[in-house]
Amino acid sequence: MLVTAQKRSQSTQDIPVAVTGLGGDALEKLGFDNANDIGAQVPNMQVSGAYGEVQPIFAIRGVSMSDYSSNQASPIGVYVDEAYLGPTYSHGANFFDVERLEVLRGPQGTLYGKNTTGGAINIITRTPGFDGEARQYIKAGIGSFNAHSLEAAAETELVPGSLSLRASGSLKKHDGWMEIKGQSRNGAESDFRGGRVALNWLINDRWDAALKLSSAKSDGSSTTPKGMGRTDVRGLDPNGTGYINYTGYDRPQNLDFHETEANRSGALTTHTDLAVLTLNYNADNYTLTSVSAFLDADYYQEQDTDGGPTGLLEIIWASDSQSYSQDLRITSNLEGRFNFIAGLYYGYEELYMQNAYYIFRDLPDPRVVIAKPDAASDAPFLLDVGEIIQRMSTEKESAAAYTQLRFDVTAAFGIDIGLRYTQDRNTMPYLNLSRYRDDGTPVGTWLPGNSTGVDNGWLRIPLSPGALVDIIANPSSVTAVTAGGYTHGPFTLDSAPELNAKEKEWTGKIGADYRFDESWMVYTSISRGYRAGSFNGGVYYEERPLATAYAAPEYITAYEIGAKADLLNGQMRLNTAAFYYDYTDQQFINVVGISNFLENAGASSIAGLETELWLRATERLTFQVGLGYLQTEYSELTLANTETLGDPSDQVDLSGNELISAPKINFNLSVDYDLLVTDSGYLSVNANTSYQDEQWFSAYNDQYGYDEIRQDAYWLLNGRLGWYTNDGSYSISMWGKNLLDKEYHVYALNLQASFGFDEYIAGEPRSYGVEVSWNF
């Protein structure tokens, strides 16, 4: 398969890089309809849809993103037609009319630059062609959860042989699979609408240009979490499970896996506009390429974080971002033993974020402070905390120069040398954190204005459990207890002092490969990548200097050896790789009480193996297999002990723990078999399955109350039965996902310290449907 993973068109078997390429037809046959499906066919890759289909969270080879703040960039770079998409909520917006998908594993610090420590995902959409070779289609489907979809694309030559136009669109909607008891609307609803217009202009024999304008909007609903109480009141509550959250909610045991009793779960909306202009000058021995891109994306989500019917913790996330980028490069096409790519890159992003946190709209349960006396110091303030609104704006500017040199020392032996220099400037020009009453009346401001020197919403005061029980019984008395206890100052919308961070980074690669013959190649490489630093997008209550308000960049130095082979006269393809990562300063969010800390781990290591096999066993039977193995460990990691009510000074050593979202073993298998072959068409079945080993969602693993923040090993089974005409004019398919209806979680968070519960987000249940496609 031809890919452009190295910024030039090459076969996947000719490039010394671990890359998986999937064409549009393969994506359709495997039943891919959103970005969350990618991980099922790529070894050592996981995709979490914790925030809906349009906001996937990617992990490759144990490199993942734990920070849910919208200002944070993923360590897996996502590109659409070579345009970099920074905000994670824009990553799922262009998964329609796709020509091919490329997943590069390992740091891509030379040609892609920052924020690719784990790898890169290229989504290449279809470009209009000439001479009637276009794929034009209408595809419609219906399915479970009242799902219905419509996708179509058509193109025409506006000027024969010179200018062509393609238009495509996608509509997808379903009623949601997370049932909220007592509510008319389900969680995890989907209502997606996307469109794209593409122009391809062959200006003359040397110049060509492509312009793609995409717009997508999703008006679904938040995937409602499940709240599992972890406060032990078994001695005080003989009738329930014995575990509650701080408002006393005890999740009923008769609720199904995909049922909740949330009271404030609401909309999840995203809107993404993307423009990409690619201009090429094709000389005899080189090509000049310019890729200009503009992205405008916004995001809004109403999440009932506590996953229960009481008003404990509810959050409204909102963000708006604009970015543009310019990549200008030269790619040689010399006939000798030397070739090169060299370029300049500039990118700029500005993002505004406004989050609203609604805390303890319902009173704490008296049993909590009897069973957990330490909670008495916080509870009076929780009766009156109201609403916290966090406003933050950031600006990111990046400029880079890069080159990758290719030396074919002999016809069989080659060397790649890549080098990239990047300058980043990150600015936080505005930050305000203020407190409001539940009715929206301003009360006070933490940032700026908190002069107490205490990075907490309030000053802790001694209070006996008995006194607290009296206060809960008579809430009007809380004012006398909490007067002067909050750490905020007078209300203002002024900003905390502006913060600036500048970074200068060298990344690159040295690699060598040897081709034994046309079928066999081995390669080895050392590469280095980095993920840019980021300002803490979580809640905190005291002005922080740059050293604690900003997480430093993370780095990976990767050592890899691999082999690629085409065997049995092209009937079998085998690719394998072994790698070791020296991972330093990994960024992740740590929730301590009602504060958030974006921190760097000291060091960690990742070692792994992966294999991909494709085999055409017979004319009718084809197998595709992927196997991955990971061994991960934090070698230096010290975090706060969240069991001590959010006291950051109480630190615990977590070295030796496994990394998050890094299952030791993962496996995928896809089988295609043509059941019936006739002169007019064929009936084909595809069965594909994937296995994920046990994994942790927190760096604490099973320590300090985090033993339930994990997912056991599980299998998923999908299938598709379809009739396909030999001339490709139409197809009819029946499909099913998660056919065994496996129950599993894609995300979990420990919120016991100040709220007494763990949060879980479920994976999708079984779904099925029928799809008809007409090609013309």
Side-chain angles (χ1 to χ4, degrees):
M1 178 180 177
L2 292 179
V3 296
T4 53
Q6 297 289 284
K7 305 297 185 181
R8 62 170 84 227
S9 182
Q10 298 168 291
S11 167
T12 56
Q13 298 305 96
D14 291 336
I15 56 177
V17 174
V19 56
T20 298
L22 295 168
D25 292 340
L27 294 173
E28 183 173 335
K29 207 163 190 180
L30 289 167
F32 285 22
D33 67 355
N34 61 68
N36 292 338
D37 294 325
I38 298 173
Q41 296 301 318
V42 181
N44 283 327
M45 182 177 183
Q46 293 78 44
V47 184
S48 165
Y51 304 108
E53 296 177 357
V54 294
Q55 192 178 356
I57 303 298
F58 300 106
I60 297 179
R61 292 179 170 179
V63 181
S64 62
M65 175 180 177
S66 65
D67 187 0
Y68 42 76
S69 301
S70 58
N71 69 310
Q72 178 69 294
S74 170
I76 313 300
V78 177
Y79 299 80
V80 173
D81 299 317
E82 292 198 54
Y84 172 66
L85 308 184
T88 58
Y89 51 83
S90 66
H91 289 176
N94 285 273
F95 211 78
F96 62 94
D97 199 33
V98 173
E99 178 180 321
R100 69 181 182 277
L101 178 73
E102 304 169 359
V103 180
L104 293 82
R105 301 185 293 280
Q108 305 298 318
T110 301
L111 297 178
Y112 292 87
K114 69 176 185 179
N115 301 336
T116 57
T117 47
I121 298 171
N122 287 335
I123 301 170
I124 296 92
T125 64
R126 288 189 172 93
T127 301
F130 299 91
D131 302 325
E133 297 179 353
R135 187 198 171 189
Q136 306 180 111
Y137 64 93
I138 297 175
K139 183 169 59 177
I142 57 173
S144 50
F145 307 108
N146 194 29
H148 45 280
S149 62
L150 178 65
E151 185 175 318
E155 64 182 69
T156 185
E157 292 188 46
L158 301 177
V159 179
S162 178
L163 181 64
S164 59
L165 168 71
R166 183 177 183 87
S168 59
S170 175
L171 302 172
K172 292 186 291 186
K173 187 173 183 178
H174 63 70
D175 287 347
W177 42 263
M178 200 71 192
E179 183 180 350
I180 306 174
K181 290 295 187 179
Q183 303 289 327
S184 59
R185 184 180 189 183
N186 285 348
E189 287 181 335
S190 177
D191 186 0
F192 176 84
R193 305 175 299 283
R196 183 180 302 114
V197 174
L199 286 167
N200 189 8
W201 185 18
L202 302 182
I203 302 171
N204 55 39
D205 291 342
R206 297 291 190 182
W207 289 92
D208 64 78
L211 174 64
K212 297 183 179 182
L213 304 175
S214 304
S215 183
K217 188 171 184 180
S218 176
D219 288 316
S221 64
S222 175
T223 304
T224 313
K226 298 182 296 183
M228 301 295 294
R230 299 298 182 201
T231 308
D232 187 353
V233 293
R234 284 175 291 181
L236 304 170
D237 185 10
N239 297 319
T241 64
Y243 292 91
I244 61 175
N245 67 21
Y246 278 8
T247 57
Y249 175 62
D250 180 3
R251 177 179 164 86
Q253 293 177 304
N254 62 353
L255 285 182
D256 288 340
F257 190 83
H258 293 98
E259 292 180 340
T260 72
E261 293 183 312
N263 59 315
R264 285 181 60 85
S265 185
L268 170 57
T269 66
T270 63
H271 187 186
T272 303
D273 294 323
L274 176 66
V276 184
L277 173 63
T278 303
L279 184 65
N280 292 303
Y281 174 75
N282 303 287
D284 293 335
N285 297 318
Y286 64 88
T287 299
L288 290 175
T289 300
S290 168
V291 181
S292 308
F294 174 77
L295 173 68
D296 186 354
D298 56 71
Y299 159 70
Y300 176 86
Q301 180 180 189
E302 299 172 350
Q303 187 184 52
D304 192 332
T305 307
D306 59 70
T310 58
L312 175 56
L313 177 60
E314 294 140 1
I315 305 174
I316 295 178
W317 311 93
S319 181
D320 183 28
S321 67
Q322 294 82 38
S323 60
Y324 58 88
S325 62
Q326 175 64 53
D327 188 21
L328 180 64
R329 65 177 181 267
I330 180 172
T331 305
S332 72
N333 186 27
L334 305 174
E335 295 184 358
R337 297 186 181 275
F338 171 73
N339 272 288
F340 67 90
I341 297 175
L344 299 172
Y345 175 85
Y346 177 80
Y348 177 82
E349 176 192 82
E350 57 181 12
L351 181 145
Y352 177 74
M353 180 173 70
Q354 180 169 313
N355 301 326
Y357 302 79
Y358 301 88
I359 299 175
F360 276 92
R361 289 191 165 187
D362 287 325
L363 299 179
D365 191 294
R367 293 173 295 174
V368 172
V369 293
I370 296 174
K372 193 173 181 180
D374 288 344
S377 296
D378 281 350
F381 303 101
L382 298 176
L383 292 173
D384 193 37
V385 65
E387 175 185 356
I388 298 172
I389 293 186
Q390 171 201 22
R391 300 176 176 90
M392 179 180 180
S393 62
T394 56
E395 299 173 3
K396 300 178 182 180
E397 186 176 28
S398 184
Y402 62 91
T403 185
Q404 181 157 304
L405 313 177
R406 172 69 181 184
F407 300 90
D408 289 316
V409 181
T410 69
F413 178 60
I415 296 175
D416 289 303
I417 300 175
L419 189 65
R420 188 180 187 109
Y421 175 72
T422 306
Q423 284 194 171
D424 289 324
R425 180 182 63 85
N426 292 334
T427 304
M428 184 174 66
Y430 184 77
L431 175 64
N432 180 277
L433 191 75
S434 295
R435 176 179 166 230
Y436 295 75
R437 300 290 184 199
D438 284 337
D439 62 4
T441 304
V443 178
T445 298
W446 281 283
L447 297 175
N450 178 6
S451 59
T452 64
V454 178
D455 192 2
N456 190 39
W458 47 80
L459 295 169
R460 300 183 185 277
I461 60 173
L463 191 68
S464 69
L468 176 62
V469 173
D470 292 340
I471 291 172
I472 293 174
N474 183 19
S476 62
S477 65
V478 72
T479 304
V481 178
T482 61
Y486 283 96
T487 57
H488 59 66
F491 177 79
T492 179
L493 289 179
D494 291 343
S495 173
E498 179 178 298
L499 295 178
N500 291 275
K502 294 184 179 180
E503 301 162 3
K504 299 178 180 179
E505 306 292 347
W506 290 94
T507 55
K509 170 185 177 179
I510 298 176
D513 56 87
Y514 185 81
R515 183 170 288 280
F516 295 97
D517 53 37
E518 291 294 323
S519 300
W520 271 95
M521 179 181 73
V522 294
Y523 66 91
T524 185
S525 66
I526 302 174
S527 56
R528 181 172 173 82
Y530 87 102
R531 181 187 186 191
S534 180
F535 288 101
N536 187 349
V539 171
Y540 55 93
Y541 305 90
E542 182 188 27
E543 292 179 7
R544 294 183 181 178
L546 185 65
T548 55
Y550 184 78
E554 66 179 30
Y555 305 91
I556 285 182
T557 301
Y559 306 86
E560 183 166 341
I561 184 170
K564 297 187 175 185
D566 286 327
L567 307 171
L568 304 179
N569 295 318
Q571 295 295 104
M572 185 172 82
R573 173 167 291 176
L574 177 65
N575 296 340
T576 186
F579 53 89
Y580 176 81
Y581 288 178
D582 182 7
Y583 198 174
T584 56
D585 295 327
Q586 180 191 6
Q587 300 171 17
F588 60 92
I589 198 73
N590 188 29
V591 180
V592 183
I594 60 170
S595 299
N596 300 81
F597 296 85
L598 184 62
E599 302 186 278
N600 296 99
S604 55
S605 63
I606 301 174
L609 301 167
E610 58 196 25
T611 297
E612 292 180 288
L613 171 69
W614 176 85
L615 173 65
R616 182 180 292 278
T618 70
E619 286 297 318
R620 292 190 179 190
L621 179 62
T622 302
F623 295 92
Q624 186 169 318
V625 183
L627 176 64
Y629 173 79
L630 293 173
Q631 184 69 44
T632 67
E633 181 182 73
Y634 291 105
S635 51
E636 298 178 24
L637 179 60
T638 302
L639 296 178
N641 182 356
T642 59
E643 289 186 324
T644 57
L645 277 180
D647 179 6
S649 64
D650 184 4
Q651 301 286 306
V652 294
D653 183 4
L654 300 177
S655 57
N657 284 3
E658 295 180 6
L659 272 65
I660 63 175
S661 299
K664 284 188 176 181
I665 298 174
N666 59 93
F667 173 80
N668 62 74
L669 168 66
S670 177
V671 181
D672 286 284
Y673 183 66
D674 295 339
L675 298 169
L676 176 67
V677 179
T678 71
D679 292 338
S680 59
Y682 60 99
L683 181 67
S684 182
V685 62
N686 171 267
N688 63 86
T689 184
S690 61
Y691 170 82
Q692 298 290 342
D693 206 351
E694 175 188 62
Q695 60 183 298
W696 302 104
F697 294 127
S698 166
Y700 291 86
N701 288 188
D702 60 352
Q703 299 171 279
Y704 305 100
Y706 284 78
D707 48 299
E708 299 294 338
I709 306 300
R710 59 192 289 274
Q711 173 58 50
D712 291 334
Y714 64 95
W715 288 87
L716 296 179
L717 175 64
N718 309 315
R720 176 177 289 254
L721 177 67
W723 170 262
Y724 306 89
T725 58
N726 288 333
D727 62 4
S729 59
Y730 74 90
S731 65
I732 303 174
S733 302
M734 296 185 297
W735 59 267
K737 292 184 177 182
N738 191 5
L739 289 171
L740 301 180
D741 205 20
K742 176 63 182 178
E743 297 175 348
Y744 64 99
H745 293 120
V746 298
Y747 183 79
L749 185 65
N750 180 326
L751 293 169
Q752 297 177 33
S754 287
F755 302 102
F757 73 97
D758 289 339
E759 176 197 75
Y760 298 89
I761 296 182
E764 295 187 33
R766 176 170 50 220
S767 59
Y768 47 85
V770 177
E771 186 176 89
V772 179
S773 181
W774 176 44
N775 302 306
F776 56 95

